[in-house]
Amino acid sequence: MFKKTALTLALSLGFVAGASANDININYEVVPGHSYSSFANHDVGAFLDTYNFNIPSTTAANGVLTSYNLSFGGVEYFHISNLKVDLFKNDSFVQTIPTTTSPLYDSVAGGGLFTSGSWAFKVEGTADGVSGGTYSFNVLTAPVPEHESYAMLL
């Protein structure tokens, strides 16, 4: 059992370590009805990642960011402290999205209607595990019918 657990841990660390980066900046051209995903691993230290979304028309969207905490034998290999996600529209601050914490992961989730324009999520934190910190970021979008088409939906 210990050998299987150690092997799984070693493979996980090797996979994640290969995707290491600091201060990620990703741009998305949003097509309603699509999903957008990213997986980030940071070396030890502070980081600020930016996910930019250019939205052509009003779009419904739901998203979740999950930071994974991995401990083994009393050692914290992956952990992110002070995780914070801020939402911006056209470079103006809109809100900080609340974080839910647990021993295994921290998550930030939200959704709503996004009008056309340039939107950005800024993810900030400190990767303070022995091997840094890791998280996934996922957004699902859906088209919003024009007011004129509501009658056709009935």
Side-chain angles (χ1 to χ4, degrees):
M1 177 67 180
F2 177 76
K3 287 182 181 181
K4 285 183 181 179
T5 304
L7 177 61
T8 302
L9 177 62
L11 290 172
S12 297
L13 290 175
F15 169 74
V16 174
S20 183
N22 282 316
D23 293 343
I24 297 166
N25 190 355
I26 297 176
N27 297 310
Y28 294 105
E29 293 295 322
V30 173
V31 177
H34 287 83
S35 62
Y36 303 87
S37 298
S38 180
F39 183 83
N41 184 53
H42 286 283
D43 296 328
V44 174
F47 63 89
L48 174 63
D49 298 341
T50 304
Y51 296 88
N52 298 297
F53 292 86
N54 184 28
I55 299 179
S57 61
T58 301
T59 301
N62 287 306
V64 64
L65 181 141
T66 305
S67 163
Y68 302 99
N69 303 324
L70 177 63
S71 299
F72 185 72
V75 177
E76 225 169 32
Y77 289 95
F78 290 104
H79 185 264
I80 296 176
S81 295
N82 305 316
L83 180 65
K84 183 174 111 171
V85 178
D86 290 332
L87 176 63
F88 290 81
K89 180 173 185 195
N90 299 326
D91 294 324
S92 296
F93 175 79
V94 175
Q95 73 179 48
T96 297
I97 303 170
T99 303
T100 303
T101 60
S102 79
L104 297 177
Y105 61 89
D106 295 340
S107 67
V108 178
L113 290 178
F114 292 80
T115 57
S116 63
S118 297
W119 292 83
F121 289 96
K122 295 195 178 192
V123 180
E124 186 175 359
T126 303
D128 54 8
V130 171
S131 298
T134 186
Y135 70 84
S136 63
F137 180 71
N138 303 287
V139 175
L140 178 63
T141 64
V144 175
E146 298 292 329
H147 296 293
E148 299 82 32
S149 14
Y150 286 149
M152 291 188 289
L153 297 174
L154 300 176

